[in-house]
Structures are given as structure tokens and as C-alpha cells.
């Protein structure tokens, strides 16, 4: 319990507001409307970043989806709820893979989600994916904690931006979409590497915890073909526990209390 609570407190400090977190539950799971995610054996717990990406990524017309660094399997489960696609969810961490498999087996979509342990840099497939999603490790400027498993999940220790983008370039179909969520302070570097890797920004949404706050996260979608980027901003809360209409519309199919 102390480890989980410490992780939640660390996230709250990072965001500058505790209410940005999904919640801290004493139970080892988080319940959504159509599925439950156990996260007691995963380095990274269910959090708002994953929920945002799972709700925001464009899966229209997708037949094959790849979730890189699936962790608990949260995003894969959300995309299964939102589509009819077959989903491959991969992670390098053995405990995460085991727990994600259990979460998938207990969900309504065990036949459409595969969970496998892979280093994405070495992952090969005959499939070129219509959609690739990733909530990647990105706290490359923060101090590493002594938990090696958590370091892989949170820092660019096990997967750097270059490796992620190179993997997406290999595995994305010619007309596919790659969606990601990262902190705003890493955005310029990520976009530079993506451009050098032949990926073009097609959609971007800035995430603000409240109307007068600076964006702390950014959702981005990339394609292989040049595109005019569609820009938007999403405010999570108008005031304490008063969520914006846009945030409710995006997440209401998942959160129990939305």
C-alpha cells in the first residue's frame, strides 16, 4: 500500500494538483463501466494519461491495433470497447504482461486482445497496423527512483523516443495513425524525432487541468503522409470536481461516475 500511495503522491506533485489523478483506491483494482483493471502488480497504476489516450485515439475503420507498453492493458481494453479491431498489446515487463493478460481474460473482449511480452525494438510482425498507441516512458529529466521496474515504466530507460518512433515507422500501415500522450516539455523533442522519422503531425490536443493552468500534457496523432494538423485544447476541470463538458463527453463511456 505504501508503494502505491507514494506513486500517487509523486504523480500529484508532478501535475501540481492532486485532483488530476484518476483516484487512489485502497483496492488493487480500478473499475470502469464495462471492465475492471487490476494494477497491483504493475509499476504504473491506472491513471488519467492512459484514460485520455484510450478515449482520444482515432480508431475509426481500424482492423489491427498495436498498443506499445500496455502496462495493465487499460488502453487496449478501452480501444476494444470502442472498436471491432484485433489488438496486439505488448510490454517488456513480465509482471505487467501477466496482469494485463488476466485483465483481458476477465473482460468482454478476450478473443480480440492478445498480450505478449516483447521489446518493441525487436518486435516483428507481418501486420502493418492501422492504429498504434503508446503512453510511453517520458520523465527523462526527473530523478530515477530505486524501483527498477518503475524506472522502465516512467523514464526513458527501457524505451527512448527514437526507438519508439522508429518502431512505429516500421509497423504502421501507409495510411495508419500513431497516437501518443506526453508531457508538454518533451513535445518539441518528440516532434523533431518524429519528423526525422517520416511521421507528420495530424492532430494535437493540449490538456489543461483547469482553465487558467498551463497545459501539462499533450495528445498527438501522427501519420506517414503530410497533413494539416487539427489543433484543440481540453480542460479537465472548470473548478474543484466540476468537470468540463468536453472532458465528460470524452470519458463518460468509461468512468463509473461520469
Amino acid at each position: 500500500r505504501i508503494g502505491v500511495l507514494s506513486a500517487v503522491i509523486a504523480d500529484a506533485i508532478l501535475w501540481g494538483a492532486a485532483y488530476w489523478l484518476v483516484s487512489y483506491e485502497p483496492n488493487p483494482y480500478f473499475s470502469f463501466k464495462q471492465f475492471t483493471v487490476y494494477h497491483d502488480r504493475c509499476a504504473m497504476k491506472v491513471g488519467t494519461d492512459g484514460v485520455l489516450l484510450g478515449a482520444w485515439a482515432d480508431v475509426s475503420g481500424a482492423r489491427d491495433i498495436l498498443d506499445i507498453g500496455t502496462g495493465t492493458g487499460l488502453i487496449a481494453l478501452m480501444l476494444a470497447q470502442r472498436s471491432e479491431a484485433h489488438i496486439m498489446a505488448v510490454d517488456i515487463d513480465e509482471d505487467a504482461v501477466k496482469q494485463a493478460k488476466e485483465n483481458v481474460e476477465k473482460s468482454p473482449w478476450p478473443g480480440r486482445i492478445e498480450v505478449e511480452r516483447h521489446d518493441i525494438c525487436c518486435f516483428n510482425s507481418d501486420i502493418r497496423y492501422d492504429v498504434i498507441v503508446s503512453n510511453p516512458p517520458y520523465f527523462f529529466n526527473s530523478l530515477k527512483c530505486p524501483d527498477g521496474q518503475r524506472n522502465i515504466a516512467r523514464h526513458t530507460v527501457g524505451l527512448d523516443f527514437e526507438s519508439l518512433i522508429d518502431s512505429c515507422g516500421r509497423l504502421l500501415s501507409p495510411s495508419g495513425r500513431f497516437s501518443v500522450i506526453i508531457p508538454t516539455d518533451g513535445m518539441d523533442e518528440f516532434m523533431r524525432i518524429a519528423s526525422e522519422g517520416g511521421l507528420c503531425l495530424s492532430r494535437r490536443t493540449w490538456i489543461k487541468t483547469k482553465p487558467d493552468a498551463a497545459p501539462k500534457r499533450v495528445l498527438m496523432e501522427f501519420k506517414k503522409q503530410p497533413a494539416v494538423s487539427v489543433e484543440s485544447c481540453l480542460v479537465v476541470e472548470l473548478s474543484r470536481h466540476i468537470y468540463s463538458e468536453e472532458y465528460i463527453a470524452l470519458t463518460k463511456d468509461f468512468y463509473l461516475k461520469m
Side-chain angles (χ1 to χ4, degrees), residues 58-216:
D58 182 0
V59 294
S60 58
R63 297 180 60 184
D64 293 288
I65 296 175
L66 175 64
D67 177 15
I68 299 176
T70 193
T72 62
L74 167 64
I75 296 172
L77 289 163
M78 293 180 70
L79 299 186
Q81 180 179 324
R82 296 180 53 219
S83 74
E84 298 297 325
H86 175 270
I87 300 166
M88 172 62 74
V90 302
D91 203 293
I92 197 170
D93 182 75
E94 184 175 2
D95 288 334
V97 168
K98 289 179 179 178
Q99 187 141 63
K101 284 184 176 180
E102 293 172 5
N103 288 331
V104 167
E105 288 168 0
K106 296 173 183 176
S107 79
W109 314 283
R112 289 201 289 116
I113 305 174
E114 291 184 68
V115 182
E116 295 185 1
R117 186 184 183 192
H118 291 288
D119 178 345
I120 194 61
C121 298
C122 304
F123 176 70
N124 291 309
S125 174
D126 293 333
I127 297 172
R128 290 301 173 259
Y129 292 91
D130 305 305
V131 172
I132 298 179
V133 294
S134 184
N135 178 13
Y138 43 56
F139 299 139
F140 41 80
N141 291 323
S142 61
L143 294 175
K144 297 182 178 70
C145 67
D147 184 342
Q149 182 192 37
R150 188 168 171 80
N151 275 333
I152 290 174
R154 290 298 293 273
H155 298 80
T156 52
V157 173
L159 178 66
D160 56 34
F161 285 168
E162 289 90 347
S163 299
L164 173 61
I165 290 167
D166 179 69
S167 298
C168 289
R170 287 190 297 108
L171 297 165
L172 192 67
S173 73
S175 59
R177 302 177 292 271
F178 165 47
S179 296
V180 64
I181 183 168
I182 62 171
T184 54
D185 60 8
M187 183 192 68
D188 289 342
E189 178 72 0
F190 194 94
M191 289 185 61
R192 179 187 65 79
I193 298 169
S195 178
E196 292 174 354
L199 296 178
C200 306
L201 183 69
S202 56
R203 189 161 59 111
R204 177 167 56 186
T205 298
W206 304 90
I207 306 298
K208 300 171 67 172
T209 57
K210 52 186 178 180
D212 58 348
K216 293 287 185 71

Side-chain angles (χ1 to χ4, degrees), residues 24-35:
Y24 169 69
E25 294 187 352
N27 295 319
Y29 61 84
F30 195 95
S31 295
F32 293 89
K33 286 182 177 177
Q34 295 193 34
F35 57 89

